[in-house]
């Protein structure tokens, strides 16, 4: 195997977290400083209301802070929306785009996701682009076709291994406690690697491919050990430092 990119363990807090929850950020920061994530990079994507405070707590540490979504425009008449520049200004270095909950709850299309990813990259931030199939699509044998279309159509211009991370998140595994088998994850990640290398050439080998969907401390080592899995995007289990660091520990030693 060629040199693997540095793994990334990213927590997506979704619409969870108040100021009191910043104690979890501090606990994660201290655990990472003590070597709890081994060679992995750690990122926390709290709700937008906590980004500036979380970034302050993690200043001059190795923890990255991220947003969970952004608008495709830099600024303007878009009430309630947040631009990538604003997230950067608040201290974020990553932005999740195309999460299945955004695609479902806000009917986001691949084209919109691509525009958001391009805005993230244009702001000098890194996009975590989410793709994944529904239960029906998997049962109909359409997983690779769906994931392939999502990658093709939401692929941002100007992407590189430094500016883009791809997260494979089967929708049926998110928040359900269900996970694909390691063989199923390996099949999809090999397919994504192939697609990414087709789009980026040699640089595609350095794009980190995360697995997301019911990752927890008890299954992290097995899932992170799958070929072409370069880390995890974690929802529910990222809300406490204990569980999140239990997952990051897969990269210790
Ligand atoms: C997610 O929403 O990105 C996710 C992976 O959620 P969970 O870990 O809770 O399945």
């Amino acid at each position: 195997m060629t040199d693997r990119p540095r793994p990334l363990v990213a927590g997506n807090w979704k619409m969870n977290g108040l100021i009191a929850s910043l104690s979890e950020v501090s606990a994660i920061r201290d655990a990472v400083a003590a070597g709890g994530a081994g060679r992995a990079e750690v990122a926390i994507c709290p709700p937008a209301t906590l980004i500036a405070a979380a970034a302050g707590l993690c200043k001059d540490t190795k923890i990255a802070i991220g947003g969970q979504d952004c608008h495709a425009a830099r600024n303007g008449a878009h009430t309630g929306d947040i631009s990538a520049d604003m997230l950067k200004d608040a201290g974020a270095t990553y932005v999740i785009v195309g999460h299945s909950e955004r695609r479902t709850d806000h009917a986001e299309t691949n084209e919109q996701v691509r525009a958001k990813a391009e805005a993230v990259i244009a702001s000098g931030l890194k996009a975590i682009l989410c793709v994944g199939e529904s239960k029906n699509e998997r049962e109909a044998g359409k997983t690779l076709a769906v994931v392939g279309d999502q990658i093709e159509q939401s692929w941002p211009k100007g992407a590189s291994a430094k500016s883009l991370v791809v997260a494979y998140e089967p929708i049926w595994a998110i928040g359900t406690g269900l996970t694909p088998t390691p063989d199923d994850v390996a099949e999809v990640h090999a397919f994504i690697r192939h697609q990414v290398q087709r789009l980026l050439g040699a640089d595609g080998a350095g794009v980190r491919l995360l697995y997301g969907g019911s990752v927890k401390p008890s299954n992290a080592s097995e899932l992170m050990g799958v070929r072409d899995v370069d880390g995890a995007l974690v929802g529910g289990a990222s809300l406490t430092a204990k569980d999140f660091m239990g997952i990051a520990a897969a990269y210790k030693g």
Side-chain angles (χ1 to χ4, degrees):
M1 211 193 282
T2 50
D3 282 351
R4 301 298 319 133
R6 185 176 177 211
L8 171 66
V9 178
N12 171 16
W13 282 17
K14 311 192 188 196
M15 199 173 72
N16 297 293
L18 302 173
I19 286 172
S21 320
L22 290 168
S23 59
E24 299 297 329
V25 173
S26 304
I28 292 167
R29 176 200 60 200
D30 295 347
V32 170
R39 62 199 167 88
E41 181 185 4
V42 169
I44 306 169
C45 304
T49 48
L50 296 182
I51 287 177
L57 287 173
C58 296
K59 195 167 184 297
D60 300 326
T61 73
K62 292 192 173 136
I63 312 271
I65 301 299
Q68 300 173 12
D69 177 51
C70 68
H71 196 280
R74 284 206 113 121
N75 51 45
H78 303 288
T79 303
D81 279 313
I82 298 179
S83 71
D85 280 354
M86 291 170 179
L87 294 171
K88 182 180 183 180
D89 194 42
T93 52
Y94 284 94
V95 185
I96 298 169
V97 293
H99 191 282
S100 62
E101 286 153 17
R102 301 283 321 169
R103 292 179 187 261
T104 304
D105 296 356
H106 300 272
E108 286 187 8
T109 63
N110 285 322
E111 290 67 29
Q112 287 169 318
V113 173
R114 187 184 67 220
K116 289 178 181 213
E118 287 175 353
V120 172
I121 294 171
S123 293
L125 304 181
K126 298 170 202 176
I128 302 177
L129 170 64
C130 300
V131 297
E133 82 287 1
S134 68
K135 186 165 180 281
N136 285 347
E137 289 162 344
R138 174 158 283 269
E139 286 171 356
K142 293 183 180 158
T143 298
L144 299 186
V146 168
V147 168
D149 281 352
Q150 287 173 331
I151 289 183
E152 189 82 40
Q153 290 167 31
S154 40
W155 191 260
K157 276 194 225 91
S160 69
K162 283 200 167 57
S163 63
L164 188 75
V165 175
V166 177
Y168 168 55
E169 299 208 305
I171 298 169
W172 52 272
I174 294 179
T176 59
L178 302 172
T179 52
T181 65
D183 283 352
D184 287 341
V185 174
E187 182 193 24
V188 180
H189 276 240
F191 172 76
I192 295 175
R193 178 70 66 203
H194 182 76
Q195 297 293 99
V196 168
Q197 286 182 313
R198 190 175 56 74
L199 289 157
L200 276 189
D203 200 33
V207 172
R208 290 174 293 180
L209 307 184
L210 311 186
Y211 167 76
S214 295
V215 181
K216 31 187 196 247
S218 58
N219 62 18
S221 290
E222 183 177 45
L223 289 164
M224 299 306 100
V226 173
R227 190 185 167 95
D228 272 316
V229 171
D230 306 309
L233 182 55
V234 185
S238 70
L239 294 173
T240 64
K242 185 169 173 286
D243 284 347
F244 190 51
M245 291 312 300
I247 292 168
Y251 288 106
K252 264 172 87 176

